[in-house]
Amino acid sequence: MHFLSTLTGCFAQPVDENPTVAMMEAAYAHHGIDARYLNCEVAPAGLAAAVAGARAMGWVGFNLSIPHKIAVIGHLDRLAPSAEVIGAVNCVARDGDALVGHNFDGQGFLTSVREVVDPAGARVAVLGAGGAARAIAVELGLAGAASIDIVSRRPEPGRALAEVISARTRAAGRWVPWQGRWTAPGGLDLLVNATQVGLFPDVDAIPAIDLDSLRAPTVVADVIPNPPTSALVAAARSRGLVTLDGLGMLVNQGALAVQLWTGVDPDRDVMRARLAAIFAAG
Ligand code: NDP
């Protein structure tokens, strides 16, 4: 008989409304994995103790959300290559006695993208220059995108991200100031909304872009997981464009974590259905 479960979870503040726990435990239950996933409310002043506690209790890993994705780096033993370039960690996994930081936000996105378009050689535009934009743009660059335009209102984060893309990946990074309505250039392969415009409860909001400038073969992707069909995704679909929703990115980053922590490649449909049901219930 065995009574010691594998321990995993999420450190964030606030964490009460983070539904990832339901998606992860649905995967554990579906595959008969004896593991728990705990949402833990951790203030910035408590992060060091929380990581030390996870280490002492033998957790196999944990996720980080706002505000710990950058601060946690100082408490880890090493970083995976793309997490080092991104400069942020959303998943930690134990490797022997070492805690290793990964960033699966961008890799989860990349998994979704590969289902509809080859990132190698792609011309890409990313709206926003925050944490999600950074993870996505770096992974697209490392996957061989030809060019990545960072479209953002504030110059500093936009320029800094464009420089990282050019310096650390093979893609040509460029900052494009976002003033008024942005117009998509011809020949764009992939447009990514990496801002929070359209996130529940502001569900009718669409980023300030000229929707008529979006034409095939441009694939339109949104990071917004709730609602799964954002107003931007709906508008792109009505124009006949191929779209990707943020729920797929969220599911895929969770699936990568489950795989790393437990060795089981989980059924993504089970995870997606659990989250979709939660968002549908409001
Ligand atoms: P950040 O705060 O780090 O960055 C937000 C970015 O959006 C900034 O560049 C900001 O620009 C820009 N922005 C915000 N409002 C507007 C606006 N009205 N017009 C133009 N630009 C705007 O947030 P994150 O990157 O952490 O998160 C962004 C979104 O990504 C969230 O909605 C989050 O839910 C989602 N996300 C989804 C994940 C998934 O798995 N699906 C994973 C991680 C995040 P400025 O600096 O000018 O304000």
Side-chain angles (χ1 to χ4, degrees):
M1 288 197 286
H2 300 285
F3 296 99
L4 180 63
S5 298
T6 297
L7 294 178
T8 64
C10 178
F11 299 162
Q13 187 181 53
V15 79
D16 184 35
E17 292 189 359
N18 190 329
T20 297
V21 53
M23 167 179 85
M24 304 300 251
E25 295 222 308
Y28 295 159
H30 179 75
H31 293 285
I33 301 168
D34 182 15
R36 306 286 162 81
Y37 188 100
L38 302 169
N39 266 353
C40 302
E41 181 87 9
V42 175
L47 181 62
V51 175
R55 216 189 260 275
M57 289 185 278
W59 286 37
V60 295
F62 49 89
N63 286 129
L64 290 312
S65 194
I66 291 171
H68 302 313
K69 288 186 179 183
I70 296 171
V72 76
I73 292 173
H75 307 294
L76 303 179
D77 299 298
R78 60 177 194 271
L79 298 181
S82 73
E84 193 267 316
V85 179
I86 294 164
V89 162
N90 89 315
C91 178
V92 169
R94 208 180 62 212
D95 181 16
D97 289 334
L99 291 181
V100 184
H102 302 261
N103 193 313
F104 290 149
D105 286 334
Q107 286 176 41
F109 177 82
L110 209 55
T111 306
S112 296
V113 162
R114 286 191 200 281
E115 290 168 12
V116 295
V117 64
D118 184 359
R123 288 185 57 194
V124 179
V126 176
L127 305 176
R134 207 173 160 88
I136 287 168
V138 166
E139 294 293 354
L140 285 168
L142 293 174
S147 64
I148 303 178
D149 284 355
I150 306 298
V151 184
S152 72
R153 301 184 296 193
R154 289 189 302 129
E156 302 82 24
R159 280 208 189 96
L161 178 51
E163 278 167 21
V164 166
I165 299 300
S166 293
R168 304 289 305 271
T169 81
R170 280 175 292 153
R174 187 173 64 134
W175 173 62
V176 178
W178 194 352
Q179 291 152 342
R181 270 146 61 94
W182 174 80
T183 300
L188 191 67
D189 296 301
L190 175 64
L191 170 67
V192 186
N193 173 37
T195 75
Q196 56 268 63
V197 178
L199 188 65
F200 180 86
D202 205 5
V203 297
D204 293 326
I206 292 189
I209 63 178
D210 177 5
L211 290 171
D212 290 333
S213 67
L214 298 177
R215 296 202 183 90
T218 305
V219 171
V220 176
D222 209 326
V223 296
I224 301 293
N226 182 19
T229 303
S230 66
L232 174 63
V233 164
R237 271 187 202 152
S238 74
R239 284 168 167 73
L241 301 178
V242 175
T243 59
L244 288 171
D245 65 40
L247 195 50
M249 171 180 171
L250 190 57
V251 168
N252 283 325
Q253 64 80 28
L256 289 166
V258 170
Q259 192 167 9
L260 190 59
W261 293 335
T262 70
V264 174
D265 184 10
D267 186 331
R268 287 158 169 81
D269 290 341
V270 168
M271 299 170 75
R272 185 178 171 102
R274 186 73 187 95
L275 273 189
I278 288 170
F279 292 149

